[in-house]
């Protein structure tokens, strides 16, 4: 294998599993250490710079970081990264004065269509540069789906208002209660660039299912219904409710129903339980609220009696997995099952819809209905001054993805407005600094604690179900937060190896608790992976390969389960190993938005 | 601050026949200087015991005084141990071995501990063929007392203080062969590929098994001019590789005719000596001495299994001692009564 090029920031970036998995690449371990030091405000600011909505995301993020977390590979559970983010938001001091202000006007004007997290991120990244930003939304308030879809018992309104406020206070011109019905017209308004962050607002229906029309009064499209609840147009639902679908929308629908009068609420889903799209914790939360999840049931009919919905019938299926990975739901042959109900919520997916973007604008779409985009770096559409991001770009995803898109689109818009080549992206902001304080001392708590993952305490169930505005999760207290923070392995404390210093004494191999380091003769990757001290079977994790050493061998470190404990560096007599703190800040239109000492 | 090892281990760490992983053979975190060769020997012992699936509680570690003699704390944390007086480990080992013949004895000593203060005791271990493995972590100096030249320091070798050693060094391996040791080997702390099978073979050998391991003192003798530095040892190494196949295991590697020599031990395990050592006669003291002499004359460090008598009989056998450990004998066996005493006395009249 080639020797590893550690001057490429992407190498060490990938070692920080959580940060790498985070679409916005939040420097997770850096803020977790600040939480352990009770520096909540600084922890918040690091988050805010990177993911814009720490308080919101600390409660609602899809947390792709957690399945990626290294801790989950050395013990049962990953670090509760997401809920630690909430700790930073809950315990921080007043931050408004520490946030950047709008810059002096630069004469450029940008329209942002849709006031969801994608547009808000673009606005935040561009405001300090002096752009005039016009934010359009058909709703009366900003936030997009964060406001209209995510129920208050998961995300209290004041948290949302606070974080949206930080952005709108940067001199953003809001054009709310305004549905943009013509892109062609927008293009004539003298904007230097337009960002489309209109989401994926169309909920899927079951138009062909028998009884659909007749029962219409008691059949609701999940996302529309949730929006109606959020904006208080809908305040009640029948006692017996069927929620169709297995994603997170279905989970929000069923839990909201329980708070709006639903007593017998069931989730009924086509796929097996294990294959459901909803996150495991959302399924748990629903079941905790007394909502059964019935899997392997395909809807066949809305049963109507005397013009009114009385229930649904389902066909029972089982999943057959083909060798090519394809899944097929085949009927079991049992009798169809009738499930009585008063209302049905259809939560089986969303789609993009751009009826307001005319063909003649030159903005072209794929057969999936998503816009054709230059690439997932620039987010430029087929019309050069129009950019997309968030759910509008590639279909429904989540808040943190919308934020990540927003950062990239903001960089593109800024380059575009300055007449620069938007494919030439500025590099990320990276530092790598030695951490040695003494023979046995590092600047971070290097030896990981063995504590198990802390569980977030919940509000009393009865109280939760009595009011949809009562937040269910209570968040960690300071003590639990400290222990949870200490579980983090500090994967950003990089093991940096300098081959010319190595005398091959084996001290690092001998001490390494997780057998990461092997000295052996170089070979092709497959061969190397097989002949390490413990074979490196996790191919998603890189091998760190040194240049040739005095004996002709090389040092191979399997990054997979390194604990970043620093023992290799402590036991190294020549400082060939060093622990160096790696900070990686993704490219943003305005670098260094906040100042952390 | 990290004076202890985290609890986490590689999730796919292999297990041996006993269901233990190599981590079950760990000891405390070493307090030796970072990079000390002795730590590598500790790791090789740990690995060897794991690979040979020796139950940790069947092993007794014995040592004298010195950095090397401290190491038993840093491996086999679940085994028995006795840290004796400087140079006096042999007498403790002899006593222990006759008192409890069922334990596996592992002596760890240094070149100072063995070749200076302990020399008198050491040769008697050899002479009596006490059933144990005896490892000297040989760095050519007294590491613990700040690096004075030891009796194994080579003539002309320069210590950290810059002074040349004026005496010929004692070659412990030659001495052991000459004195009649039944198993003599030499290795290098930086060559686990060789050291591990050697330790396994030594522990399987019945009788006294001696391994002289060059083990650089990174603090006092790893400078330019020192003949026992990492660099100098590597430059002069002449390695005779070997494999150890325990009785339980089938032989998986195919050895080419004439390329290797197999030695079967009393318990059925096999040592394969190969490649560079194809003409080497490991069961001849004479050829061992010649090979050692010619290596020494050319400044080479000849490593490998130098001599073995696979049919050796240990002290317990020679003295026809009780077949069981003393602690397992009952009162009647230990104290057979006046009738037996009388008959003994009668026999002496
Ligand atoms: C029920 C539900 C629960 C969810 N829960 C979570 C969660 O817990 N965590 C998570 O990370 N993600 C969650 N999501 C997904 C998340 O809300 C979205 O991925 C995210 O909000 C997308 O952001 P966006 O900026 O692309 O657009 P959106 O947030 O969708 O905002 C788009 C905005 O544009 C407006 N708009 C659209 N067209 C026009 C127009 N022509 N003129 C004016 N305004 C227009 C819309 O009214 C909307 O306000 C959930 C989604 C749903 C449906
Ligand atoms: C009876 C006695 N004499 C002298 C000493 C001082 N002393 C301690 S260790 C040592 C030499 C150790 O050298 P070696 O066995 O080579 O061990 P190393 O530290 O080099 O591994 C000496 C002389 C002692 N502890 N006890
Ligand atoms: S252990 Fe900490 S730094 Fe490592 S992946 Fe998990 S949260 Fe991130
Ligand atoms: S930091 Fe070094 S010693 Fe610790 S687990 Fe990683 S490679 Fe092993
Ligand atoms: S002084 Fe020498 S022998 Fe002793 S621990 Fe340090 S390096 Fe090892
Ligand atoms: Mg010594």
């Amino acid at each position: 294998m080639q020797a590893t090029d550690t001057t490429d920031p992407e190498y060490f970036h990938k070692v920080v599993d959580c940060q790498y998995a985070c679409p916005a690449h939040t420097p997770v371990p850096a803020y977790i250490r600040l939480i352990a030091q009770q520096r909540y405000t600084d922890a918040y600011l690091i988050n805010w710079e990177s993911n814009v909505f720490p308080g919101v995301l600390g409660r609602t993020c899809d947390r792709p970081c957690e399945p990626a977390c290294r801790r989950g590979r050395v013990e049962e559970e990953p670090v509760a990264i997401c809920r630690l983010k909430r700790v930073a938001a809950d315990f921080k001091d007043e931050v408004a004065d520490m946030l950047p202000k709008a810059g002096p006007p630069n004469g450029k004007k940008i329209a942002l269509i849709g006031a969801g997290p994608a547009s808000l991120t673009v606005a935040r990244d561009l405001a300090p540069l002096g752009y005039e930003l016009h934010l359009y939304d058909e709703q009366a308030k900003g936030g997009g789906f964060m406001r209209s879809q995510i129920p208050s018992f998961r995300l209290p309104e004041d948290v949302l208002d606070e974080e949206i406020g930080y952005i709108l206070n940067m001199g953003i011109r809001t054009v709310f209660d305004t549905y943009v019905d013509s892109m062609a017209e927008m293009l004539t308004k003298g904007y230097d660039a337009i960002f489309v962050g209109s989401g994926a607002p169309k909920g899927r229906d079951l138009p062909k299912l028998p009884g659909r029309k007749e029962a219409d009064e008691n059949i609701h499209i999940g996302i529309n219904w949730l929006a109606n609840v959020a904006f208080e147009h809908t305040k009640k639902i029948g006692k017996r409710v069927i929620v169709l679908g297995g994603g997170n929308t279905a989970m929000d629908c069923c839990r909201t129903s329980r708070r709006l009068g639903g007593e017998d609420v069931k989730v009924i889903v086509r796929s097996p339980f294990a294959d459901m799209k909803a996150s495991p914790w959302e399924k748990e939360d629903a079941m905790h609220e007394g909502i059964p999840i019935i899997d392997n049931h395909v809807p066949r009919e809305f049963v109507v009696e005397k013009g009114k919905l009385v229930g649904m019938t389902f066909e029972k299926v089982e999943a057959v997995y083909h060798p090519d990975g394809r899944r097929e739901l085949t009927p079991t042959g049992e009798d169809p099952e009738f499930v009585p109900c008063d209302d049905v919520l259809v939560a089986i997916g969303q789609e993009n819809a751009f009826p307001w973007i005319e063909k003649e604008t030159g903005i072209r779409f794929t057969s999936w209905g998503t816009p054709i985009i230059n690439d997932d770096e620039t987010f430029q559409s087929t019309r050069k001054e129009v950019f997309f991001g968030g759910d509008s770009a590639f279909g429904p995803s989540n808040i943190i993805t919308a934020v990540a898109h927003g950062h990239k689109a903001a960089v593109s818009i800024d380059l575009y407005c300055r007449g620069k080549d938007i494919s030439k992206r500025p590099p990320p902001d990276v530092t790598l600094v030695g951490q040695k304080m003494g023979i046995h001392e590092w600047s971070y708590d290097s030896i990981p604690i063995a504590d198990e993952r802390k569980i977030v305490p919940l509000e009393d169930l009865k109280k939760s179900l009595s009011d949809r505005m009562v937040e269910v999760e209570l968040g960690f207290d300071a003590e639990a937060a400290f222990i949870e923070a200490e579980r983090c392995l500090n994967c950003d404390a990089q093991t940096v190896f300098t081959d010319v210093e190595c005398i091959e004494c084996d001290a690092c191999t001998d001490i390494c608790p997780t057998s990461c380091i092997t000295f052996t003769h170089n070979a092709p990757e497959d061969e190397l992976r097989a002949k390490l001290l413990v074979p490196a079977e996790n191919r998603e994790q890189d091998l760190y390969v040194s240049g040739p050493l005095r004996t002709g061998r090389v040092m191979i470190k399997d990054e997979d389960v390194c604990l970043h404990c620093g023992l290799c560096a402590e036991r190294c007599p020549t400082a060939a190993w060093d622990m160096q703190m790696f900070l990686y800040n993704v490219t943003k239109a305005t670098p260094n938005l906040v100042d952390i000492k | 601050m990290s004076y202890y090892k985290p609890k986490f281990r590689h999730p796919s760490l292999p297990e041996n026949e006993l269901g233990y992983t190599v981590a079950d053979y760990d000891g405390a975190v070493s307090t030796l200087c970072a990079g000390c060769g002795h730590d590598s020997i500790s790791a090789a012992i740990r690995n060897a015991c794991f690979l040979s699936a020796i139950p940790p509680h069947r092993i007794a570690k014995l040592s004298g005084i010195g950095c090397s003699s401290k190491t038993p704390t840093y491996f086999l944390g679940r085994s028995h141990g006795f840290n004796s007086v400087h140079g006096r480990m042999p007498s403790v080992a002899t006593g222990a071995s006759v008192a409890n013949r069922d334990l596996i004895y592992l002596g760890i000593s240094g070149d100072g501990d063995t070749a200076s203060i302990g020399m008198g005791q050491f040769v008697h271990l050899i002479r009596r063929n006490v059933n144990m493995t005896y490892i000297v972590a040989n760095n050519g100096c007294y590491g613990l007392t700040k690096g004075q030249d030891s009796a194994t320091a080579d003539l002309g070798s320069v210590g950290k203080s810059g002074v040349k050693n004026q005496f010929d060094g004692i070659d412990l391996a030659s001495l052991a062969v000459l004195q009649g040791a039944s198993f003599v080997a030499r290795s290098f702390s930086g060559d686990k590929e060789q050291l591990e099978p050697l330790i396994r073979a030594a522990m399987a050998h019945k009788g006294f098994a001696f391994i002289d391991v060059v083990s650089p003192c990174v603090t006092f003798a790893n400078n330019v001019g020192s003949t026992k530095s990492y660099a100098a040892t590597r430059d002069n190494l002449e390695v005779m590789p070997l494999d150890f196949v325990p009785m339980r295991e089938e032989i998986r590697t195919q050895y080419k005719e004439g390329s290797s020599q197999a030695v079967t031990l009393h318990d059925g395990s096999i040592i394969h000596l190969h490649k560079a050592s194809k003409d080497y006669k490991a069961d001849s003291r004479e050829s061992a001495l010649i090979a050692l002499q010619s290596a020494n004359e050319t400044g080479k460090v000849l490593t490998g299994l130098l001599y073995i008598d696979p049919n050796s009989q240990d002290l317990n056998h020679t003295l026809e001692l009780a077949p069981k450990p003393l602690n397992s004998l009952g009162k009647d066996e230990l104290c057979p009564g006046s009738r037996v005493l009388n008959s003994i006395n009668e026999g002496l009249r």
Side-chain angles (χ1 to χ4, degrees):
Chain A
M1 275 181 86
Q2 279 275 314
T4 303
D5 176 12
T6 53
T7 59
D8 175 0
E10 290 311 311
Y11 181 77
F12 284 141
H13 183 198
K14 199 172 162 206
V15 173
V16 194
D17 295 293
C18 49
Q19 179 174 18
Y20 191 70
C22 172
H25 304 308
T26 297
V28 173
Y31 82 68
I32 290 184
R33 275 191 300 276
L34 290 170
I35 289 172
Q37 295 163 27
Q38 303 189 331
R39 289 170 61 189
Y40 305 118
T41 304
D42 289 338
Y44 183 85
L45 291 174
I46 286 197
N47 270 289
W48 187 82
E49 170 162 38
S50 166
N51 55 50
V52 193
F53 305 102
V56 171
L57 288 165
R59 294 168 163 85
T60 63
C61 190
D62 263 356
R63 24 174 152 154
C65 53
E66 290 190 18
C69 171
R70 176 176 303 261
R71 181 105 189 177
R73 297 199 295 276
V74 294
E75 60 135 319
E76 303 297 312
E77 295 270 7
V79 176
I81 301 170
C82 182
R83 290 333 187 230
L84 283 172
K85 197 189 308 292
R86 172 176 169 175
V87 166
D90 283 355
F91 297 161
K92 69 177 187 304
D93 302 324
E94 186 56 61
V95 295
D97 290 345
M98 303 176 187
L99 305 181
K101 312 263 175 307
N106 67 5
K108 306 277 185 194
K109 206 166 75 173
I110 316 289
L112 308 161
I113 302 174
S119 290
L120 287 166
T121 301
V122 176
R124 194 219 47 185
D125 284 4
L126 291 180
L129 299 174
Y131 286 92
E132 183 178 324
L133 297 152
H134 295 188
L135 180 65
Y136 291 80
D137 202 294
E138 61 175 309
Q139 306 288 4
K141 282 175 131 185
F145 270 19
M146 298 191 292
R147 190 179 296 280
S148 67
Q149 298 296 316
I150 302 182
S152 295
F153 55 83
R154 286 208 289 128
L155 175 59
E157 219 175 327
D158 55 344
V159 175
L160 193 58
D161 287 344
E162 175 189 328
E163 292 188 331
I164 290 170
Y166 293 147
I167 300 169
L168 299 185
N169 288 341
M170 292 167 87
I172 312 297
R173 181 107 59 88
T174 57
V175 194
F176 288 165
D177 282 322
T178 306
Y179 181 76
V180 176
D181 56 7
S182 166
M183 180 57 114
E185 197 190 319
M186 288 296 286
L187 288 166
T188 64
K189 289 193 172 174
Y191 289 114
D192 294 281
I194 295 178
F195 177 79
V196 182
S198 59
K202 192 163 161 250
R204 287 216 187 94
D205 198 353
L206 291 166
K208 295 203 191 96
L209 216 61
R212 172 68 185 88
K213 252 199 222 102
E214 296 83 333
D216 187 57
E217 199 184 322
N218 294 96
I219 299 173
H220 320 277
I221 301 300
I223 63 168
N224 300 346
W225 183 79
L226 284 171
N228 283 332
V229 173
F231 295 113
E232 308 204 311
H233 307 312
T234 296
K235 297 197 165 123
K236 272 181 59 188
I237 195 153
K239 279 203 168 61
R240 297 170 306 168
V241 182
I242 293 176
V243 177
L244 298 177
N248 290 345
T249 306
M251 299 302 117
D252 281 341
C253 284
C254 67
R255 295 178 70 194
T256 303
S257 300
R258 286 287 277 131
R259 288 158 171 82
L260 259 59
E263 284 166 12
D264 169 13
V265 180
K266 296 185 177 75
V267 171
I268 305 185
V269 53
R270 294 159 43 115
S271 64
F273 184 84
D275 293 358
M276 286 168 63
K277 286 223 178 80
S279 325
W281 55 88
E282 301 234 38
K283 293 196 267 188
E284 272 165 35
D285 289 341
M287 292 186 295
H288 174 69
E289 294 179 356
I291 301 163
I293 297 176
I294 301 166
D295 64 351
N296 293 323
H297 278 59
V298 177
R300 281 293 168 240
E301 188 182 354
F302 294 104
V303 183
V304 181
E305 273 171 23
K306 296 182 197 138
K308 201 168 160 31
L309 178 76
V310 293
M312 287 190 73
T313 51
F314 295 86
E315 179 174 46
K316 289 195 208 165
V317 293
E318 59 190 1
V320 179
Y321 298 89
H322 296 281
D324 60 359
R326 203 163 38 91
R327 189 191 75 189
E328 198 182 342
L329 297 177
T330 53
T332 61
E334 291 166 81
D335 287 340
E337 190 174 319
F338 174 75
V339 182
C341 71
D342 303 313
D343 282 287
V344 173
L345 296 173
V346 185
I348 56 171
Q350 299 154 248
E351 284 164 2
N352 290 66
F354 300 99
W356 53 280
I357 301 184
E358 300 88 342
K359 251 210 165 103
E360 69 265 24
T361 57
I363 300 171
R364 289 189 288 126
F365 293 88
T366 66
S367 55
W368 297 90
T370 52
I372 294 175
I373 283 170
N374 216 345
D375 57 51
D376 62 4
E377 274 298 310
T378 65
F379 287 91
Q380 189 178 40
S381 74
T382 49
R383 179 154 178 145
K384 60 185 186 346
E385 73 270 44
V386 177
F387 299 82
F388 284 76
D391 287 358
S392 80
F394 304 120
S397 183
N398 52 35
I399 301 169
I400 191 67
T401 303
V403 169
H405 292 180
H407 288 317
K408 290 181 176 176
V411 170
S412 302
I413 291 170
D414 180 44
L415 290 171
Y416 175 77
C417 289
R418 292 193 285 132
K420 299 250 166 80
D421 179 355
I422 66 165
S423 67
K424 294 221 167 70
R425 318 294 290 179
D429 192 4
V430 178
T431 55
L432 189 62
V433 183
Q435 300 297 304
K436 203 168 179 66
M437 312 274 284
I439 296 179
H440 293 285
E441 235 175 328
W442 301 101
S443 70
Y444 65 104
D445 285 341
S446 54
I447 297 294
I449 60 168
D451 294 52
E452 284 173 16
R453 181 178 167 119
K454 291 272 156 195
I455 294 166
V456 181
L458 303 182
E459 184 55 88
D460 169 62
L461 183 59
K462 214 164 154 202
K463 186 170 168 205
S464 296
L465 293 180
S466 68
D467 181 353
R468 74 172 177 91
M469 305 302 273
V470 172
E471 185 170 18
V472 172
E473 285 194 12
L474 301 176
F476 287 133
D477 59 21
E479 198 180 330
F482 174 73
I483 292 170
E484 192 57 38
E486 287 287 297
R487 291 181 71 236
C488 172
L489 301 174
N490 302 289
C491 302
D492 53 347
Q494 302 286 352
T495 55
V496 182
F497 186 73
T498 310
D499 46 26
V500 294
E501 300 292 344
C502 177
I503 58 168
E504 295 173 76
C505 68
D506 275 358
C508 53
T509 320
D510 294 341
I511 192 73
C512 178
T514 42
S515 318
C516 304
I517 302 168
T518 307
F519 289 85
T520 185
H521 288 281
N522 209 340
E525 178 164 358
D526 286 346
E527 224 175 283
L528 273 184
R529 282 185 175 272
K531 73 171 175 177
L532 299 187
L533 232 45
V534 181
E537 275 153 12
N538 182 357
R539 300 201 66 103
E540 283 174 18
Q541 293 285 321
D542 287 340
L543 298 183
Y544 183 170
V545 182
S546 77
L549 304 170
R550 195 185 165 100
T551 58
R553 299 180 300 174
V554 288
M555 183 290 301
I556 313 281
K557 179 190 167 209
D558 178 9
E559 298 284 7
D560 188 18
V561 289
C562 168
L563 304 169
H564 298 265
C565 66
L567 285 175
C568 49
E570 271 179 45
R571 299 304 299 162
C572 180
T574 64
W577 284 108
D578 191 20
M579 304 306 290
Q580 299 184 7
M581 203 55 85
F582 176 75
L583 184 65
Y584 180 103
N585 267 313
V586 283
T587 307
K588 288 190 276 299
T590 319
N592 307 319
L593 280 169
V594 294
D595 187 21
I596 294 150
K597 284 143 293 261
Chain B
M1 294 260 203
S2 33
Y3 296 113
Y4 65 98
K5 237 177 170 176
K7 295 223 166 54
F8 302 115
R9 293 292 176 268
H10 198 296
S12 350
L13 217 50
E15 288 180 0
N16 63 16
E17 285 99 290
L18 302 174
Y20 292 133
T21 68
V22 72
D24 293 312
Y25 294 83
D26 267 339
V29 171
S30 169
T31 60
L32 300 188
C33 305
C36 177
H38 301 353
D39 281 336
S40 276
I41 300 176
S42 298
I45 295 170
R46 172 196 66 180
N47 297 351
C49 293
F50 161 75
L51 288 170
S52 289
I54 302 176
H57 69 281
R58 301 306 307 154
I59 303 174
K61 308 169 287 182
L62 306 150
S63 63
I65 297 291
C67 297
S68 35
S69 294
K70 281 174 70 179
T71 61
T73 309
Y74 315 134
F75 58 83
L76 301 181
R78 301 176 185 185
S79 299
H80 308 279
F82 195 112
N83 191 197
S84 77
V85 190
H86 201 18
R88 273 32 174 191
M89 176 257 279
S91 44
V92 177
T94 308
S97 150
V98 293
N100 185 342
R101 60 191 297 163
D102 281 0
L103 290 182
I104 297 168
Y105 294 96
L106 184 56
I108 309 293
S109 179
D111 42 324
D113 195 61
T114 293
S116 292
I117 194 168
M119 187 62 116
Q121 298 218 340
F122 173 64
V123 288
H124 292 284
L125 276 181
I126 301 177
R127 188 175 70 92
R128 289 172 172 156
N129 205 16
V130 174
N131 189 15
M132 71 180 299
T133 296
Y134 190 105
I135 295 175
V136 169
N138 189 348
N139 52 16
C141 71
Y142 297 170
L144 192 71
T145 53
K146 302 270 177 287
Q148 300 85 347
D149 287 337
S150 77
T152 67
D154 295 307
L155 179 68
S157 179
V158 182
K160 198 189 181 184
S161 60
V163 180
K164 262 191 190 169
N165 174 36
Q166 304 173 2
F167 304 104
D168 243 329
I170 295 173
D171 177 8
L172 288 170
S174 299
L175 180 109
V177 177
L178 202 56
Q179 186 52 52
S182 53
F183 180 117
V184 180
R186 186 151 61 199
S187 192
F188 168 46
S189 67
D191 183 8
K192 285 204 190 69
E193 248 172 81
Q194 185 196 57
L195 183 53
E196 279 173 20
L198 269 182
I199 295 172
R200 296 179 68 190
M203 292 178 84
H205 174 73
K206 195 184 202 133
F208 187 72
F210 175 67
I211 313 178
D212 174 27
V213 187
V214 180
S215 175
C217 170
V218 79
T219 301
F220 298 111
N222 198 39
N223 49 291
V224 176
S226 161
T227 56
K228 287 190 168 52
S229 66
Y230 280 103
T233 309
R234 284 211 167 96
D235 286 347
N236 296 314
L237 220 47
E238 207 171 286
V239 182
M240 301 193 288
L242 75 158
D243 281 339
F244 176 77
V245 184
M247 185 198 36
R248 296 181 299 279
E249 258 169 51
E250 55 181 315
I251 300 167
R252 287 198 207 87
T253 325
Q254 286 285 320
Y255 298 102
K256 251 212 249 117
E257 189 79 37
S259 74
S260 86
Q261 182 190 346
V263 182
T264 306
L265 298 184
H266 73 101
D267 67 353
S269 46
I270 300 170
I271 306 168
H272 287 273
L273 309 163
H274 40 109
K275 289 181 207 120
S277 52
K278 81 172 182 313
D279 300 324
Y280 196 85
K281 289 201 196 68
D283 53 1
S284 151
R285 269 184 216 283
E286 193 187 349
S287 61
L289 284 170
I290 292 170
L292 278 165
Q293 275 311 308
S294 62
N296 287 355
E297 266 159 35
T298 51
K300 290 285 173 202
V301 183
L302 178 67
T303 66
L305 179 55
L306 303 167
Y307 173 78
I308 183 168
D309 170 7
N311 303 314
S312 93
Q313 294 299 351
D314 66 15
L315 179 63
N316 288 280
H317 183 269
T318 310
L319 294 184
E320 294 176 55
L321 296 182
K324 288 196 293 180
L326 298 187
N327 64 11
S328 67
L329 299 179
K331 179 168 154 283
D332 293 344
E333 288 161 296
L334 285 170
C335 191
S338 47
R339 217 168 51 84
V340 178
L341 181 64
N342 286 339
S343 81
I344 292 173
N345 284 341
E346 280 308 314
L348 296 172
R349 264 179 227 282

